Amino acid sequence: EAGVTQFPSHSVIEKGQTVTLRCDPISGHDNLYWYRRVMGKEIKFLLHFVKESKQDESGMPNNRFLAERTGGTYSTLKVQPAELEDSGVYFCASSPTGYGGADTQYFGPGTRLTVL
Amino acid sequence: AQKVTQAQTEISVVEKEDVTLDCVYETRDTTYYLFWYKQPPSGELVFLIRRNSFDEQNEISGRYSWNFQKSTSSFNFTITASQVVDSAVYFCALNVYNTDKLIFGTGTRLQVFP
């Protein structure tokens, strides 16, 4: 069974540009999560989808970030326009049912975003 | 508020040494879950273990063992007879029941030298 995949693995962009990250969850997992780790700090929750609906987006930093999950399959996270502080590693995770910890979240390899 | 503290930023050991990674958590909830993930150089977060707050039994899996103590709010991870392949960043995480977000510590980088 394929794990969570993320694309691209690494992206380098200039400040002010737009970047779109993609996450493909494990097949059959209704729950999809985005997290971010800024250099040396903890991994922080961004948002949670249940199928195509946003269940919790309390961790999204600001309105420059837009996440979508059309059709309840893969998800995209767009940053527009990117700022220097957006640099970090963006992780995606998925779980089958997502009932408050009863499920394990399985993570992808992350996308390393560098904003110059 | 919930919080996870991994006070050890980096640990270096020589192969075959035992090493313990500390994790202290904070929550006022009585139902919660604790996790450990491993991040090898390849970058992905690999799930190692999940414990719920009602199960304080220690767990052993091969060279890995976990000590969960509610009295000290700790969930420590011990690697026995460490190997070079254990070199990675290890994250401890907390999930409170009825929320779906994981709250991570800052991670501990373990380097095992031959």
Side-chain angles (χ1 to χ4, degrees):
Chain A
E1 180 182 296
V4 176
T5 57
Q6 293 186 245
F7 182 83
S9 58
H10 195 179
S11 179
V12 181
I13 61 172
E14 300 276 339
K15 176 183 171 182
Q17 289 186 321
T18 297
V19 63
T20 300
L21 314 181
R22 172 171 170 146
C23 168
D24 286 78
I26 293 172
S27 177
H29 282 192
D30 286 341
N31 294 271
L32 188 149
Y33 311 82
W34 284 97
Y35 290 83
R36 177 175 73 172
R37 187 184 190 208
V38 173
M39 177 74 83
K41 304 219 170 169
E42 69 271 29
I43 300 169
K44 280 195 171 177
F45 169 83
L46 296 178
L47 88 159
H48 169 211
F49 283 100
V50 178
K51 297 185 180 178
E52 66 274 11
S53 300
K54 290 176 186 174
Q55 182 77 10
D56 180 357
E57 51 185 329
S58 61
M60 294 287 264
N62 51 60
N63 60 10
R64 295 185 293 102
F65 289 75
L66 174 64
E68 295 179 324
R69 192 183 182 196
T70 307
T73 54
Y74 71 91
S75 174
T76 58
L77 179 65
K78 180 190 286 189
V79 185
Q80 179 183 30
E83 298 288 346
L84 298 178
E85 64 263 26
D86 300 332
S87 295
V89 180
Y90 290 77
F91 290 100
C92 177
S94 71
S95 70
T97 64
Y99 292 149
D103 265 353
T104 294
Q105 295 180 25
Y106 296 93
F107 283 77
T111 293
R112 181 175 296 278
L113 174 64
T114 303
V115 183
L116 303 176
Chain B
Q2 290 88 32
K3 185 179 178 182
V4 174
T5 301
Q6 294 180 257
Q8 304 150 307
T9 305
E10 187 162 340
I11 301 174
S12 295
V13 298
V14 177
E15 231 178 355
K16 296 185 184 176
E17 283 186 36
D18 299 346
V19 58
T20 296
L21 310 182
D22 297 333
C23 173
V24 174
Y25 63 93
E26 295 175 32
T27 180
R28 292 182 181 175
D29 294 85
T30 56
T31 304
Y32 52 89
Y33 298 82
L34 295 164
F35 299 79
W36 276 95
Y37 285 87
K38 172 183 179 180
Q39 186 184 32
S42 51
E44 76 278 18
L45 287 168
V46 178
F47 165 74
L48 295 179
I49 189 171
R50 181 185 75 216
R51 302 295 282 176
N52 73 59
S53 52
F54 299 106
D55 183 0
E56 283 192 79
Q57 275 195 324
N58 290 334
E59 175 117 359
I60 298 175
S61 176
R63 296 183 297 104
Y64 294 173
S65 62
W66 291 269
N67 184 342
F68 176 28
Q69 291 196 341
K70 288 176 78 170
S71 60
T72 55
S73 296
S74 65
F75 186 44
N76 296 338
F77 172 31
T78 297
I79 301 174
T80 303
S82 59
Q83 300 177 1
V84 173
V85 293
D86 296 326
S87 297
V89 181
Y90 291 86
F91 292 94
C92 180
L94 166 70
N95 178 286
V96 173
Y97 188 66
N98 279 335
T99 71
D100 294 299
K101 64 182 81 170
L102 290 174
I103 298 160
F104 283 87
T106 50
T108 297
R109 178 177 298 278
L110 173 65
Q111 293 195 55
V112 182
F113 293 99

